[in-house]
């Protein structure tokens, strides 16, 4: 018998789609039903979803029931990394993990334990709740979650505090849309229809991206700067606005501090100089400045492609300063948008039961280095969940060498046998969001959604909140007052959240809660959430933090051995590395025709991409969608997608962004050579 249930996609994407899930109740025998996933699609409960979802999640059944799905706990029987495991029961697996956690804590101190968790699930029950309880009570090292949005977060917060962005749907009301380092056609598809509706009404579209994305192809203006030069591009526009009397002096006087300092710093980058440094035509840059000044409502959608280099924080700050200088706030469809979830931030701290102790904090971008370092105490237990660090962190070579350490005990808790899981000592099988309870909000959507299990658990898989509670029990860390059941956990999360009462009331009536107002207008419904309520255009804390000062620009070193810059943006086929097991290889590195020709490389040739840190052997693709000097390999590849098992992350440095300690994936400098056929 088939029925349709509702759910919500918890993957790391702005859209947080509301889902309609078709389930089949196959009758196995008189008393035994097994509910299986048949298909899923978008519905309309989250207005942003608008009834459609991405192809990759539409084929989620292949993830749930595929060969790679983990169905039982496993313990390693072969050498590290050999992926030879033996099936064991949960009791054996958890006792082994608890023993190693206890031993590490007692012999080396709690800080010898490192939980490594990132974007696998944006649900509030699978991250920072019961897991945090376990690791806080063990006194484990803390993880600085910097692999993504660290630089953007630092910049946005420094200038505006946690001010919500323009609602994604409100891009429809803009007459000038700037997509800056963001590719919604792959990375948040529900932004595309509002852009198209705005353009039907005559809105202009500008894309700033070193490659011609699908939307850049149709844009009125495409600026393709060299990666990492956005700060000078944005400062040049700011300088032009001040120099031509187009800065909104009245708005700035009323709402902003640091105006003169910003103007002084922007004056270092007049358009001709910036155009040369970024390698964009000066007349196009000037046209952009003039059109932006003239247009209203004008909106800047700043993405995450901008931040992933040494100048990322200052670049994002300069981009976000634009609507302030040009006076674009205060109208529907005007301002900037990065992330909206702040409005509905869910706070799991009460579910965790206590705040984190002040133990050492380890920047996840330095995982490889940390595992190999002689710091005291060395990491003895690495507990990976909601993440696939071997596939997603920089310096894959160091991460792999760290995982190979014989004296490191690695637990990987996942839904599938990831590249990281192949190095584990114990592998624990996790349920998917269709098999467990969840509470989630999206960083682009203005809704909170409560979802419940709609299909039977696959094999012996278990949800995070059960496994971490069980580990607390085994380590004598549980307390009777701890919230434990999904409903208790949801109540605890909402009790600690800023609008929790209102959300709880709405969720009592429906599994989707919308806040009020649903589509806030910046500087009408919300102002800056800075200490004095003003925009800080030159916040001293950011200025001190950035090595070259805020709005400083550090050119990439010129090294003839590495003439190309490799970028590794999101592809439409995976979410980071999630669902990568469903993608067929071999992966292709995309080169501009001029770069391919000068190296004698033709499409589909076998090539070696080299950086200072290692090689990737894959095939070549040739397209003028990337600008000359730039090569592209998508993020999220698995080892199976290349000939030598290395992916873009092997080529990526572990240098940090100027603000926030973020990853600099797009600062990879490489050379590409043809390999014999
Ligand atoms: N299908 C899919 N959707 C996703 C994801 C996914 O992996 N797959 N990932 C999710 C996650 S975790 C995130 S953080 C978001 C990320 O989504 P986006 O913000 O779109 O980020 P990226 O894909 O990293 O890069 C966006 C664009 O920036 C460009 N870019 C690279 N370097 C620079 C630069 O220096 N300057 C400028 N101006 N542009 C540059 C790239 O060419 C790319 O087109 O998407 C989320 N959604
Ligand atoms: N080269 C390069 N690398 C990048 C980037 C880039 O631009 N370039 N971008 C980066 C970005 S933006 C991000 S956000 C990171 C993301 O990096 P990660 O956080 O490592 O994200 P994923 O690769 O999606 O891995 C998430 C894993 O969590 C598992 N999972 C999902 N739900 C659950 C659950 O409920 N319980 C448990 N136990 N496990 C679960 C999934 O099966 C999956 O294997 O990658 C970064 N890596
Ligand atoms: Mo991300």
């Amino acid at each position: 018998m088939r029925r349709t249930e509702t759910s919500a996609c918890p993957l790391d994407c702005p859209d947080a789609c509301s889902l309609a899930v078709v389930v089949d109740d196959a009758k196995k025998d008189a008393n035994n039903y097994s509910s299986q996933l048949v298909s899923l699609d978008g519905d309309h409960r989250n207005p942003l979803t608008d009834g459609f979802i991405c192809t990759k999640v539409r084929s989620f059944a292949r993830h749930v029931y595929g060969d790679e799905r983990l169905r039982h706990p496993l313990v390693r029987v072969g050498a590290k990394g050999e992926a030879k495991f033996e099936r064991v029961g949960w009791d054996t697996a958890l006792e082994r993990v608890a023993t190693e956690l206890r031993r590490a804590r007692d012999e080396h101190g709690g800080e010898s334990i490192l939980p490594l968790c990132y974007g696998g699930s944006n649900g509030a029950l699978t991250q920072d709740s019961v897991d945090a309880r376990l690791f806080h009570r063990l006194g484990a090292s803390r993880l600085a979650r910097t692999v993504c949005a660290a630089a953007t977060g630092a910049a946005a917060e420094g200038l505006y505090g946690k001010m919500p962005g323009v609602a994604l749907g409100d891009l429809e009301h803009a007459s000038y849309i700037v997509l800056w380092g963001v590719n919604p056609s792959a990375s948040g598809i529900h932004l595309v229809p509002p852009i198209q509706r705005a353009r039907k009404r005559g809105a202009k579209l500008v894309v700033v991206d070193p490659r011609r994305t699908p939307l850049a192809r149709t844009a009125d203006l495409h600026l393709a700067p060299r990666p990492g030069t956005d700060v000078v591009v944005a400062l040049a526009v700011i300088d032009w606005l001040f120099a031509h009397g187009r800065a909104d002096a009245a708005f700035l006087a009323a709402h902003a501090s640091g105006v003169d300092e910003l103007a002084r710093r922007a004056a270092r980058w007049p358009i001709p100089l910036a155009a040369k440094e970024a390698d964009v035509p000066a007349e196009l840059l000037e046209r952009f400045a003039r059109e932006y000044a003239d247009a209203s409502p004008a909106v800047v959608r700043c993405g995450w492609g901008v931040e992933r280099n040494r100048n990322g924080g200052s670049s994002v700050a300069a981009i976000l300063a634009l609507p302030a200088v040009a006076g674009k706030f205060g109208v529907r469809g005007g301002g900037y948008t990065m992330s909206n979830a702040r409005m509905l931030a869910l706070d799991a701290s009460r579910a965790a039961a206590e705040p984190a102790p002040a133990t050492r904090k380890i920047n996840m971008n330095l995982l490889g280095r940390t595992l190999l370092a002689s710091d005291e105490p060395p990491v003895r237990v690495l507990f990976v969940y909601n993440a696939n660090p071997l596939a997603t962190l920089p310096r894959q070579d160091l991460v792999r060498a760290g995982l190979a350490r014989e004296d490191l005990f690695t637990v990987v808790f996942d839904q599938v046998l990831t590249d990281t899981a192949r190095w584990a000592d114990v592998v624990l099988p996790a349920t998917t969001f269709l098999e467990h309870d969840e509470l989630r909000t999206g960083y682009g959507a203005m809704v909170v959604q409560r979802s419940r299990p709609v299909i039977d658990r696959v094999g012996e898989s278990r949800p995070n909140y059960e496994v971490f509670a069980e580990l607390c029990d085994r380590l004598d860390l549980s307390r009777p007052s701890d919230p434990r059941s999904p409903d208790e956990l949801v109540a605890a999360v909402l009790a600690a959240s800023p609008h929790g009462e209102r959300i709880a009331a709405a969720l009592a009536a429906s599994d989707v809660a919308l806040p009020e107002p649903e589509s806030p207008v910046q500087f009408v419904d919300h102002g800056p959430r800075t200490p004095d309520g003003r925009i800080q255009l030159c916040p001293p804390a950011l200025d001190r933090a950035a090595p070259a000062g805020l709005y400083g620009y550090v050119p990439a070193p010129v090294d003839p051995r590495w003439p190309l810059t490799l970028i590794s943006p999101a592809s439409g086929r995976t979410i980071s590395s999630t669902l990568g097991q469903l993608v067929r290889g071999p992966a292709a590195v995309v080169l501009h025709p001029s770069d391919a020709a000068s190296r004698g490389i033709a499409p589909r040739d076998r090539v070696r991409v080299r950086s200072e840190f290692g090689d990737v052997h894959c095939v070549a693709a040739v397209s003028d969608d990337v600008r000359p000097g730039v090569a592209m390999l998508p993020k999220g590849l698995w080892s199976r997608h290349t000939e030598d098992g290395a992916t873009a992350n092997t080529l990526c440095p572990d240098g940090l962004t100027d603000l926030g300690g973020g990853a600099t994936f797009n600062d990879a400098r490489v050379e590409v050579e043809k390999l014999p056929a």
Side-chain angles (χ1 to χ4, degrees):
M1 200 188 72
R2 289 195 173 185
R3 62 199 153 87
T4 302
E5 298 285 347
T6 58
S7 189
C9 181
L11 291 176
D12 193 351
C13 165
D15 296 4
C17 291
S18 56
L19 302 173
V21 186
V22 179
V23 176
D24 189 42
D25 292 313
K27 198 171 179 182
K28 280 201 226 146
D29 58 54
N31 305 309
N32 191 354
Y33 289 83
S34 100
S35 303
Q36 288 226 359
L37 171 63
V38 178
S39 63
L40 49 75
D41 211 331
D43 70 15
H44 294 269
R45 289 167 308 127
N46 171 3
L48 188 64
T49 310
D50 198 21
F52 68 96
I53 57 166
C54 60
T55 21
K56 57 192 174 305
V57 173
R58 235 186 292 121
S59 52
F60 202 69
R62 291 167 58 216
H63 177 77
V64 175
Y65 301 116
D67 290 343
E68 280 87 354
R69 181 71 197 267
L70 292 166
R71 290 171 164 82
H72 312 282
L74 304 169
V75 298
R76 174 168 74 89
V77 291
K80 288 250 182 185
E82 220 184 354
K84 272 202 191 149
F85 298 106
E86 179 180 272
R87 175 177 166 181
V88 294
W90 271 103
D91 187 51
T92 307
L94 288 176
E95 202 43 46
R96 178 83 198 284
V97 174
T99 302
E100 295 292 339
L101 287 169
R102 193 181 298 111
R103 191 197 334 261
R105 181 196 56 192
D106 295 348
E107 291 178 10
H108 307 282
E111 288 182 332
S112 65
I113 297 165
L114 179 63
L116 197 132
C117 154
Y118 197 75
S121 164
N122 284 1
L125 299 198
T126 43
Q127 182 172 322
D128 297 334
S129 56
V130 189
D131 50 331
R133 185 189 302 164
L134 172 70
F135 294 116
H136 292 177
R137 289 180 187 169
L138 279 167
S141 286
R142 292 174 296 160
L143 187 76
R145 295 223 183 98
T146 46
V147 72
C148 174
T152 49
E157 216 173 310
L159 267 65
Y160 293 97
K162 293 180 173 175
M163 181 167 86
V166 173
L168 297 182
D170 276 349
L171 261 70
E172 170 170 0
H173 301 287
S175 66
Y176 202 75
I177 299 172
V178 184
L179 299 179
W180 202 314
V182 66
N183 177 24
S185 308
S187 64
I189 58 173
H190 296 92
L191 193 58
V192 177
I195 294 172
Q196 283 167 337
R197 285 196 288 271
R199 296 192 79 196
K200 264 204 192 110
R201 294 191 355 265
K204 287 209 159 136
L205 176 66
V206 179
V207 174
V208 188
D209 197 306
R211 70 187 172 126
R212 197 184 296 121
T213 56
L215 284 166
R217 196 179 295 284
T218 70
D220 299 283
L221 180 58
H222 175 206
L223 293 172
R226 294 193 300 118
T229 61
D230 301 88
V231 59
V232 310
V233 174
L235 289 177
V237 176
I238 290 170
D239 180 55
W240 187 94
L241 292 166
F242 279 115
H244 290 78
R246 302 302 303 271
D248 188 337
F251 176 83
L252 290 171
H255 296 290
S257 304
V259 179
D260 295 342
E261 191 52 37
L262 170 63
R264 252 194 303 280
R265 295 181 190 202
R268 293 177 199 152
W269 292 102
I271 282 181
L273 191 63
K276 188 153 175 276
E277 188 60 33
D279 192 24
V280 294
E283 62 279 11
L284 291 190
L285 188 48
E286 184 168 347
R287 189 182 123 199
F288 170 45
R290 194 176 338 102
E291 287 179 357
Y292 180 66
D294 287 344
S296 184
V299 67
V300 179
R301 163 63 164 171
C302 181
W304 291 270
V306 178
E307 75 164 9
R308 310 195 202 284
N309 61 76
R310 68 190 65 213
N311 300 311
S314 280
S315 292
V316 172
I319 292 164
L320 297 186
L322 282 169
V325 175
K328 298 302 176 193
F329 291 115
V331 287
R332 187 168 295 284
Y336 72 83
T337 181
M338 291 219 51
S339 179
N340 303 312
R342 304 279 190 212
M343 258 185 89
L344 287 168
L346 295 177
D347 181 345
S349 57
R350 275 203 222 172
E354 68 227 343
T359 51
R360 71 173 166 179
K361 213 163 192 184
I362 290 172
N363 186 325
M364 66 190 295
N365 294 317
L366 304 176
L367 178 69
R369 250 169 236 280
T370 303
L371 292 179
L372 297 171
S374 50
D375 295 357
E376 277 307 317
V379 176
R380 298 283 173 174
V381 177
L382 177 70
F383 198 128
V384 178
Y385 61 107
N386 302 353
N388 183 10
L390 186 56
T392 55
L393 296 184
R395 289 298 303 268
Q396 196 166 53
D397 57 327
L398 298 184
V399 176
R400 191 183 292 105
L403 291 172
R405 255 179 51 197
E406 285 299 334
D407 62 343
L408 177 71
F409 181 78
T410 302
V411 186
V412 175
F413 181 21
D414 205 304
Q415 297 157 350
V416 289
L417 191 74
T418 60
D419 285 351
T420 311
R422 301 173 74 84
W423 288 85
D425 295 282
V426 171
V427 179
L428 304 175
T431 43
T432 69
F433 70 97
L434 297 171
E435 299 151 67
H436 61 231
D437 280 77
E438 197 54 282
L439 183 69
R440 88 145 304 186
T441 174
Y443 44 95
M446 299 283 188
V447 296
V448 175
Q449 302 178 79
R450 170 81 167 91
S451 62
R452 294 170 199 278
V454 293
I455 57 171
D456 282 349
R457 293 179 183 184
V458 171
E460 295 174 2
S461 61
R462 291 186 185 175
N464 290 18
Y465 47 82
E466 285 181 15
V467 170
F468 289 111
E470 169 99 12
L471 284 169
C472 284
D473 291 346
R474 284 175 192 255
L475 287 155
D476 297 318
L477 296 170
S478 294
R479 293 176 202 142
S481 58
D482 290 336
R484 204 164 168 124
S485 71
D487 283 337
E488 287 166 359
L489 288 165
V490 168
V493 171
L494 292 178
S497 302
H499 303 284
E501 248 175 72
R502 214 171 62 211
I503 297 168
L507 288 178
S510 135
D511 55 9
V512 178
L514 295 146
E516 295 160 309
E518 191 183 315
S519 292
V521 175
Q522 291 176 315
F523 285 84
V524 173
D525 300 300
H526 299 288
R529 296 187 181 167
T530 51
D532 65 359
R534 292 172 70 80
I535 307 170
Q536 306 297 320
L537 289 174
C538 240
L542 295 193
D543 206 26
R544 279 193 303 273
L550 184 60
Y551 306 119
Y553 167 67
V554 181
V558 177
D559 186 329
R561 289 175 302 164
W562 319 117
L564 302 171
T565 298
L566 182 97
I567 59 171
S568 45
S571 89
R573 302 201 291 173
T574 62
I575 290 267
S576 297
S577 76
T578 299
L579 306 177
Q581 80 277 13
L582 307 177
V583 173
R584 282 236 200 102
V589 60
V590 185
L591 294 172
H592 187 268
S594 62
D595 291 321
S598 63
R599 290 166 177 78
I601 293 171
R604 287 181 295 282
D605 277 353
R606 286 179 65 225
V607 292
R608 170 162 67 184
V609 190
R610 287 166 48 222
S611 84
E612 205 179 320
F613 314 115
D615 291 4
V616 176
H617 294 202
C618 60
V619 299
V622 179
S623 162
D624 64 0
D625 284 348
V626 292
R627 51 159 293 142
V630 170
M632 184 188 80
L633 254 178
K635 80 162 164 171
L637 294 177
W638 286 37
S639 60
R640 63 179 67 182
H641 297 129
T642 64
E643 230 178 80
D644 62 347
T647 71
N649 295 50
T650 281
L651 307 166
C652 296
D654 62 357
L656 302 178
T657 53
D658 50 350
L659 298 175
T664 56
F665 295 112
N666 294 339
D667 259 335
R669 311 291 162 204
V670 304
E671 180 53 295
V672 183
E673 300 156 354
K674 189 171 163 165
L675 288 173

